[in-house]
């Protein structure tokens, strides 16, 4: 996690065009004065990416890069919701007036809509806490020591003359040399400017001498004090002024303990009690998030401060408030806490000279499992006819990006046009979740029908894509929700008779789509309706279908000259099993208002024909017959006659065409009445031929079982032709060729073609013999 510390630094390239902007929106940048440093906190929501900063003074503008920060006393601390810049009061470009008034001028550069915008800002602080003779700051990225330039010398060996030192320093720095010590080794002295090139900074302020070094420098010494790693830099400044040699010893020492965690769920940090010479027990203060925490508060939060064996140990419970939590994805979702704290130690040496040591640390807990794992909870209530799934509880920094529902991708935020809904549920404890609702009848739901148990298994495979902010690392949560539905009943139509046909109405139900509605073997679609002449309307409320009389799908029964029964059937099939679930059969009686011919699947022809032109003047339809004179009408009135007979009797002729077979007969005035009744003199003007055509393919039973049973009803036709003289002879013989091609009908001649689909139940069958002529 240490690598984060500096991710906010970006080197400003020369010539980079940056828009200048003087004022930042209110509440975005918070500047605070702490005891020993400025704090500039910038809302992450404002900066978008990571902001970067320039330190500004009268000599120029200095981009704060990670290396420059460590050298010059700046620290960038990226936190979950903001970025913090800490600038030491002794940082390189801070204006210092008598170590009491500090002014930091800086530019903050943020990227807005891919354009860099710079804000000129400044902060002025006057710390209330007075400076101790020696102050040491162990920052995250550097060590800084400052000593008062006027120190009384109780041992009396030599009167310190810092004023002289200061003069000498400011006149010609080259006179001053610094010598680093490593273990017992004394290194070659170098000039202060040479040291600065190596990132060691020495400065003289109004009343103090400051030394700062990044960690891990060449002249650092790493040691251990009771197993606690310590980094130390020991520098001696000296100047030779004629015969007087001035020497100042500067030691920067900091604990480099990285932090650890113990079994009790605490993060632990350690530092030697006496990094600097100390006489009495040290005085300790803890600061959290930059604020000093009083002892009772620290105790209340569960912090434990222990001192033994020369080591100070701080234990912070991972659950304690003040830690910043962060989600982390690694195979699964975890969280960790970061504690940004400092320890202030006040030490006194044997001369009662006080040293104040500030140790800043960011402690990170190991990856911890979430208190409650993320689950997709099945809250489905079958009564509500919808799946209900709650995904949660998610920490604040985790968001739902998308969800795949049985493979259908749905990205957030969802449009509200879809039938499923996702709503974000926020809890007061700053967790949140998502509630997903998918109606059972949504096409994404996968259904399976179990025949044994007679239940529907409805499955919802959910794959949630979640991201951790701000780095947007994604992870998935997969869950399969299954529910069983037993009470699914097929839709039921209402049916009504009307003069012109039969009407059906279905009020839509949520699960309608599980069923397939068909007429005969054809699924009911608007296309089928158009082809067959049905009138269909389908809106969100209901489906309405009107089947006009004589359209395909009708069956006819009890045909008389007065009326007949028409039956229309709508089938409902299980879409999954293709099993027939129900049918709505409606039979209505209709008045016979004109001609009709029915060729039933069991091989019977029923004809109602207008014979007004087919009987000779003075004759009546009741005296007509088929080719076989014994086959007279079942009923007749002044103009109409009803014939009903098996196809292959009464002198029918059979004609086999390509793929179909046609049974044909003719209705004519019975000659025996012509002979016996003198008043009938003339021939009838019209011949009336009745015929039924069946598809051969549908008649396979005729050849296998010798039974007439067609898969489909035959197509009937009543064909009229004007009688010619030639017909007078030929009409008496049944072998005469009959013209049945449509072209011969003539436009004036009425014709009716009726089709009917096979009835579901077997309407009995007659055994026929196919007489091939
Ligand atoms: C500091 O900022 C304030 C506005 O925030 C401005 O009025 C003032 O001039 C600035 N001072 C310097 C020295 O830039
Ligand atoms: C502390 O952590 C850093 C990086 O995480 C590592 O390089 C260093 O060796 C660690 N120091 C000690 C003393 O464990
Ligand atoms: C759908 O969204 C639009 C605007 O986004 C809103 O006006 C409308 O009320 C929403 N409809 C429903 C049913 O939520
Ligand atoms: C947060 O609140 C929700 C709803 O009250 C609850 O279900 C959940 O357990 C809480 N989470 C934690 C971590 O306390
Ligand atoms: C979930 O979706 C992601 C991305 O599409 C895929 O990589 C992952 O395998 C999916 N998980 C499951 C269990 O289907
Ligand atoms: C989901 O909840 C429904 C209704 O309570 C229940 O019938 C079903 O078995 C549950 N499914 C799973 C996978 O828990
Ligand atoms: C009727 O409309 C519904 C949608 O409103 C649709 O699901 C159904 O398939 C339609 N039925 C037919 C027969 O077109
Ligand atoms: C139809 O005819 C059958 C006999 O063929 C008879 O039993 C039935 O009552 C008739 N139906 C009607 C409505 O006349
Ligand atoms: C059908 O016939 C009956 C009596 O035969 C009659 O009352 C009724 O009005 C007729 N319907 C139509 C539509 O002609
Ligand atoms: C029979 O046909 C004649 C003309 O060909 C017509 O005048 C008569 O109205 C028809 N009868 C019926 C009942 O349709
Ligand atoms: C002969 O025809 C007349 C009228 O066309 C009819 O009244 C009479 O009953 C018929 N005679 C026979 C024997 O059918
Ligand atoms: C029967 O077959 C013949 C020859 O293929 C064809 O011309 C005729 O249209 C067919 N009739 C019917 C009703 O399909």
């Amino acid at each position: 996690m240490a690598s984060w510390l500096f991710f906010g630094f970006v080197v400003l390239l020369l010539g980079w065009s940056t828009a200048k902007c003087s004022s930042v929106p209110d509440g975005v940048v918070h500047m605070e004065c702490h005891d020993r440093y400025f704090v500039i906190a910038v809302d992450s929501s404002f900066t978008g990416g990571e902001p970067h900063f320039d330190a500004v003074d009268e000599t120029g503008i200095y981009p704060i890069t990670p290396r420059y920060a460590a050298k010059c006393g700046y620290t960038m601390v990226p936190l979950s919701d903001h970025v913090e810049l800490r600038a030491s009061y002794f940082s390189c470009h801070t204006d210092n007036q008598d170590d009491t008034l500090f002014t930091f001028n800086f530019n903050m550069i943020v990227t807005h809509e891919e354009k860099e915008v710079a804000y000129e800002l400044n902060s002025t602080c006057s710390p209330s806490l007075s400076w101790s003779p020696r102050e040491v700051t162990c920052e995250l990225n550097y060590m800084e020591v400052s000593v008062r330039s006027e120190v009384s010398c109780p041992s009396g060996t030599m009167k310190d003359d810092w004023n002289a030192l200061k003069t000498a320093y400011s006149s010609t720095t080259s006179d001053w040399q610094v010598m680093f010590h490593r273990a017992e080794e004394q290194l070659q002295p170098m000039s202060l400017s040479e040291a600065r090139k190596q990132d060691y900074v020495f400065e003289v302020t109004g009343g103090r001498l400051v030394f700062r070094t990044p960690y891990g420098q060449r002249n650092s010494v790493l040691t251990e004090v009771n197993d606690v790693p310590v980094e130390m830099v020991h520098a001696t400044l000296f100047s030779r002024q004629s015969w007087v040699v001035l020497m100042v010893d500067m030691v920067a020492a900091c604990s480099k303990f990285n932090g650890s965690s113990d079994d009790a769920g605490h993060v632990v940090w350690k530092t030697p009690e006496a990094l600097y010479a100390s006489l009495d027990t040290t005085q300790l203060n803890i600061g959290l998030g930059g604020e000093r925490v009083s002892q009772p508060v620290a105790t209340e939060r569960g912090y434990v401060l222990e001192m033994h064996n020369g080591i100070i140990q701080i234990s912070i419970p991972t659950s304690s408030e003040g830690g910043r939590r962060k989600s982390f994805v690694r195979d699964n979702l975890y969280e960790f806490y970061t504690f940004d704290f400092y320890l202030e130690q006040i030490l006194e040496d044997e001369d009662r000279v006080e040293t104040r040591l500030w140790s800043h640390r960011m402690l990170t807990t190991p990856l911890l499992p979430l208190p409650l794992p993320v689950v997709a909870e099945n809250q489905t209530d079958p009564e509500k006819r919808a799946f209900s799934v709650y995904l949660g509880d998610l920490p604040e920094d985790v968001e739902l990006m998308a969800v795949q529902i049985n493979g259908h991708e749905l990205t957030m935020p969802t449009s509200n046009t879809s039938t499923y809904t996702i709503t974000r549920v926020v809890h007061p404890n700053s967790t949140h979740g998502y509630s997903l609702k998918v109606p059972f009848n949504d096409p994404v739901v996968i259904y399976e029908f179990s025949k044994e148990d007679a239940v529907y298994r409805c499955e919802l495979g959910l794959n949630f894509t979640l991201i951790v902010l701000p780095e947007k690392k994604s992870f998935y949560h997969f869950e399969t929700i299954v529910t069983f539905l037993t009470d699914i009943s097929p839709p039921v139509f209402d049916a009504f008779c009307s003069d012109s046909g039969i009407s059906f109405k279905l009020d839509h139900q949520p699960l309608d789509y599980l069923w397939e509605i068909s007429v005969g073997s054809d699924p009911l679609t608007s296309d089928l309706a158009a082809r067959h002449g049905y009138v269909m309307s389908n809106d969100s409320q209901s489906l309405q279908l009107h089947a006009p009389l004589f359209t395909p799908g009708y069956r006819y029964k009890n045909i008389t000259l007065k009326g007949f029964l028409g039956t229309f059937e709508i089938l409902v099939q299980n879409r999954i099993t293709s099993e027939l679930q129900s049918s709505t059969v409606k039979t209505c009686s209709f008045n016979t208002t004109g001609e009709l011919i029915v060729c039933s699947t069991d091989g019977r022809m029923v004809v109602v024909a207008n014979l007004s032109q087919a009987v000779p003047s003075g004759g009546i339809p009741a005296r007509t017959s088929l080719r076989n004179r014994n086959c007279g009408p079942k009923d007749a009135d002044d103009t109409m006659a009803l014939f009903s007979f098996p196809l292959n009797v009464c002198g029918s002729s059979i004609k086999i065409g390509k793929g179909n077979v046609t049974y044909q007969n003719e209705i004519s005035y019975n000659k025996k009445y012509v002979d016996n009744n003198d008043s009938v003199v003339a021939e009838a003007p019209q011949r009336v031929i009745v015929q039924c055509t069946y598809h051969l393919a549908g008649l396979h039973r005729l050849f296998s079982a010798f039974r007439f049973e067609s898969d489909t009803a035959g197509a009937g036709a009543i064909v009229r032709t004007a009688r010619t003289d030639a017909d007078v002879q030929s009409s008496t013989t049944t072998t005469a060729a009959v013209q049945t091609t449509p072209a011969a009908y003539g436009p004036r001649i009425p014709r009716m073609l009726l089709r009917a689909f096979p009835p579901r139940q077997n309407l009995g069958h007659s055994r026929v013999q196919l007489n091939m002529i």
Side-chain angles (χ1 to χ4, degrees):
M1 244 51 72
S3 59
W4 291 11
L5 291 179
F6 307 117
F7 78 61
F9 295 92
V10 174
V11 181
L12 248 195
L13 298 173
L14 273 175
W16 193 271
S17 72
T18 306
K20 288 271 179 199
C21 205
S22 51
S23 66
V24 275
D26 279 350
V28 164
V29 178
H30 304 270
M31 294 189 276
E32 285 176 19
C33 300
H34 284 247
D35 287 334
R36 294 297 175 251
Y37 51 90
F38 300 93
V39 170
I40 320 294
V42 190
D43 269 8
S44 301
S45 55
F46 173 69
T47 59
E50 306 94 38
H52 44 267
F53 295 90
D54 297 335
V56 179
D57 64 13
E58 57 279 6
T59 66
I61 297 174
Y62 303 89
I64 301 176
T65 63
R67 183 172 166 198
Y68 198 71
K71 173 181 174 178
C72 273
Y74 305 102
T75 306
M76 287 282 284
V77 190
L79 298 165
S80 50
D81 55 346
H82 65 278
V83 173
E84 194 173 286
L85 170 67
R86 293 203 284 253
S88 163
Y89 289 146
F90 296 131
S91 55
C92 294
H93 307 287
T94 296
D95 181 61
N96 178 342
Q97 288 179 25
D98 298 328
D99 298 330
T100 53
L101 187 66
F102 302 92
T103 304
F104 177 39
N105 288 299
F106 62 98
N107 293 336
M108 178 179 76
I109 297 113
V110 299
T111 307
H112 281 313
E113 287 153 3
E114 296 177 7
K115 266 181 78 179
E116 293 208 321
V117 183
Y119 297 94
E120 288 175 8
L121 298 162
N122 64 63
S123 178
T124 299
C125 291
S126 185
S128 53
L129 183 69
S130 61
W131 295 92
S132 297
R134 178 159 61 179
E135 296 258 349
V136 182
T137 298
C138 297
E139 250 298 357
L140 302 180
N141 52 338
Y142 63 83
M143 299 187 271
E144 185 184 82
V145 187
S146 76
V147 293
R148 196 157 67 197
S149 38
E150 289 165 49
V151 186
S152 60
C153 292
S155 43
T157 45
M158 184 186 134
K159 181 87 182 141
D160 251 348
D161 194 352
W162 282 97
N163 288 326
L165 184 139
K166 195 166 113 189
T167 321
Y169 180 85
S170 42
S171 58
T172 133
T173 51
S174 57
D175 284 348
W176 280 90
Q177 301 278 305
V178 61
M179 191 171 71
F180 289 98
H181 306 260
R182 248 184 0 212
E184 297 308 307
E185 187 188 0
Q186 285 193 354
L187 304 170
Q188 279 297 311
M190 62 178 106
S191 68
L192 295 192
S193 58
E194 180 60 30
R196 201 178 171 106
K197 280 186 200 149
Q198 295 180 17
D199 292 348
Y200 297 105
V201 174
F202 296 89
E203 269 178 287
V204 177
T205 72
R208 300 181 76 82
L209 181 60
V210 180
F211 164 48
R212 188 169 44 245
T213 170
Y215 290 110
Q217 289 268 81
R218 211 168 46 155
N219 297 323
S220 291
V221 178
L222 293 171
T223 60
E224 281 197 354
V225 178
N226 293 343
D227 294 336
V228 173
V230 168
E231 178 166 343
M232 189 162 69
V233 180
H234 184 183
T236 303
L237 281 170
F238 62 91
S239 174
R240 198 188 163 105
Q241 311 257 308
S242 67
W243 51 272
V244 180
V245 175
L246 296 174
M247 292 184 76
V248 186
D249 231 15
M250 308 278 275
V251 176
C254 292
S255 161
K256 287 291 285 172
F257 189 76
N258 268 353
S260 62
S261 55
D262 66 10
D263 300 338
H266 291 71
V267 280
V268 175
W269 189 69
K270 294 175 186 178
T271 185
E273 196 179 337
L275 271 177
Y276 292 86
S278 166
L279 201 61
D280 306 323
T281 47
T282 46
Q283 191 188 325
L284 298 175
N285 293 307
I286 298 178
L288 203 69
E291 296 293 337
R292 180 174 293 168
V293 181
S294 69
Q295 203 64 46
V297 172
T299 312
E300 192 188 309
R301 291 189 184 173
Y303 299 3
V304 182
L305 255 180
E306 288 167 310
M307 273 175 282
H308 55 80
N309 214 5
I311 298 295
I312 302 169
Q313 174 172 316
I314 302 177
S315 306
I316 304 175
T318 53
S319 57
S320 107
E321 63 175 292
R324 294 192 175 84
R325 76 161 294 290
K326 173 89 189 67
S327 299
F328 189 81
V329 177
R330 196 177 65 192
D331 65 56
N332 213 328
L333 186 63
Y334 295 89
E335 62 180 11
F336 62 84
Y337 288 83
T338 303
F339 294 89
D340 170 31
F341 77 98
Y342 68 77
L343 178 72
E344 182 189 356
Q345 282 172 271
I346 303 163
L347 311 128
E348 274 187 358
D349 64 14
E350 66 271 20
D351 295 330
R352 298 274 154 212
V353 176
E354 193 179 79
T355 297
R356 206 183 274 266
L357 172 63
W358 309 82
S359 300
H360 292 269
R361 271 285 163 260
M362 288 249 289
L363 286 190
T364 299
T365 66
L367 293 183
L368 307 164
L370 295 185
L372 293 171
V374 174
V375 289
E377 190 189 331
N378 172 19
Q379 300 180 335
T380 305
D381 176 4
E383 294 280 293
K384 297 212 170 107
R385 295 270 161 212
F387 283 104
S388 174
V389 181
Y390 176 76
L391 176 76
D393 291 325
L394 301 170
E396 267 177 307
D397 57 350
V398 174
E399 289 287 327
L400 180 64
M401 271 289 283
V403 53
Q404 267 183 21
I405 308 176
N406 287 333
H408 296 258
E409 181 90 6
L410 186 67
T411 45
M412 301 288 291
T414 57
S415 66
N416 59 8
T417 50
S418 52
T419 53
Y420 25 81
T421 57
I422 299 182
T423 34
R424 197 170 192 273
V425 185
V426 181
H427 301 303
N429 60 13
S430 82
T431 62
H432 66 281
Y434 296 88
S435 172
L436 169 71
K437 290 201 165 43
V438 180
F440 287 156
N441 65 346
D442 195 283
V444 296
V445 178
I446 294 175
Y447 277 87
E448 262 174 45
F449 185 69
S450 157
K451 272 187 198 158
E452 305 89 77
D453 308 321
V455 292
Y456 282 89
R457 182 179 181 278
C458 319
E459 182 180 308
L460 210 56
L462 299 169
N463 188 350
F464 296 95
T465 306
L466 297 150
I467 55 163
V468 174
L469 298 172
E471 64 268 26
K472 296 196 172 155
K473 182 146 168 45
S474 58
F475 66 102
Y476 304 101
H477 186 84
F478 191 79
E479 201 90 31
T480 301
I481 306 287
V482 174
T483 194
F484 295 95
L485 298 181
T486 48
D487 56 342
I488 298 184
S489 52
V492 177
F493 283 88
D494 290 329
F496 315 92
C497 297
S498 73
D499 296 341
S500 59
I502 304 179
S503 297
F504 297 88
K505 181 166 182 279
L506 173 73
D507 289 324
H508 286 311
Q509 294 174 348
L511 294 178
D512 275 355
Y513 78 100
L514 279 180
W515 311 100
E516 186 173 78
I517 298 166
S518 58
V519 176
S521 54
D522 299 318
L524 178 61
T525 59
S526 46
D527 183 50
L528 180 87
R531 264 191 294 128
H532 285 186
Y534 307 146
V535 182
M536 190 170 89
S537 71
N538 184 22
D539 59 24
S540 58
Q541 299 301 312
S542 60
L543 169 73
Q544 298 192 43
L545 180 75
H546 176 69
L549 200 53
F550 306 130
T551 52
Y554 268 99
R555 280 178 287 126
Y556 305 93
K557 268 179 27 185
N558 292 27
I559 300 168
T560 68
L561 289 180
K562 295 247 170 345
F564 59 93
L565 299 178
T567 301
F568 199 90
E569 185 175 25
I570 288 188
L571 305 176
V572 176
Q573 270 175 316
N574 185 316
R575 208 179 271 280
I576 298 165
T577 62
S578 293
E579 263 176 34
L580 179 73
Q581 291 289 315
S582 78
S583 68
T584 302
V585 185
K586 182 69 177 175
T587 299
C588 297
S589 67
F590 297 95
N591 290 350
T592 305
T593 54
E595 297 188 307
L596 61 88
I597 177 166
V598 174
C599 306
S600 67
T601 53
D602 60 350
R604 178 167 276 274
M605 191 190 303
V606 181
V607 186
V608 172
N610 183 344
L611 299 178
S612 55
Q613 300 295 307
V615 293
S617 134
I620 53 169
R623 292 194 173 160
T624 55
S625 71
L626 296 170
R627 284 180 186 142
N628 183 329
R629 295 267 163 75
N630 298 322
C631 296
K634 293 273 178 295
D635 194 8
D637 61 15
D638 293 347
T639 51
M640 313 289 280
L642 168 76
F643 290 88
S644 174
F645 58 100
L647 287 168
N648 60 329
V649 298
C650 297
S652 296
S653 65
I654 300 169
K655 224 179 123 184
I656 298 189
K658 259 196 204 136
N660 60 32
V661 57
T662 301
Y663 295 83
Q664 207 172 56
N665 213 315
E666 183 175 347
I667 302 170
S668 59
Y669 201 72
N670 200 328
K671 277 280 192 287
K672 77 183 177 200
Y673 296 109
V674 178
D675 297 343
N676 299 344
N677 196 328
D678 295 336
S679 61
V680 178
V681 287
E683 280 285 358
Q686 256 180 7
R687 295 181 62 186
V688 176
I689 293 157
V690 291
Q691 66 182 39
C692 281
T693 303
Y694 290 86
H695 289 295
L696 268 178
L699 285 174
H700 49 92
R701 288 180 205 84
L702 190 58
F703 307 103
S704 56
F706 301 107
R707 190 174 76 202
F708 193 101
E709 193 188 330
S710 173
D711 288 346
T712 56
I718 300 173
V719 183
R720 290 188 163 76
T721 54
R723 187 179 293 277
T724 61
D725 286 345
D727 289 331
V728 178
Q729 283 83 36
S730 60
S731 67
T732 58
T733 130
T734 56
T735 55
V738 182
Q739 292 290 306
T740 61
T741 50
Y745 300 164
R748 207 173 44 79
I749 298 166
R751 173 171 73 104
M752 185 175 289
L753 274 174
L754 294 176
R755 284 193 194 88
F757 280 95
R760 296 222 44 86
Q761 55 285 67
N762 205 344
L763 287 174
H765 31 74
S766 48
R767 220 162 235 270
V768 293
Q769 234 141 4
L770 185 62
N771 299 320
M772 307 290 275
I773 309 166

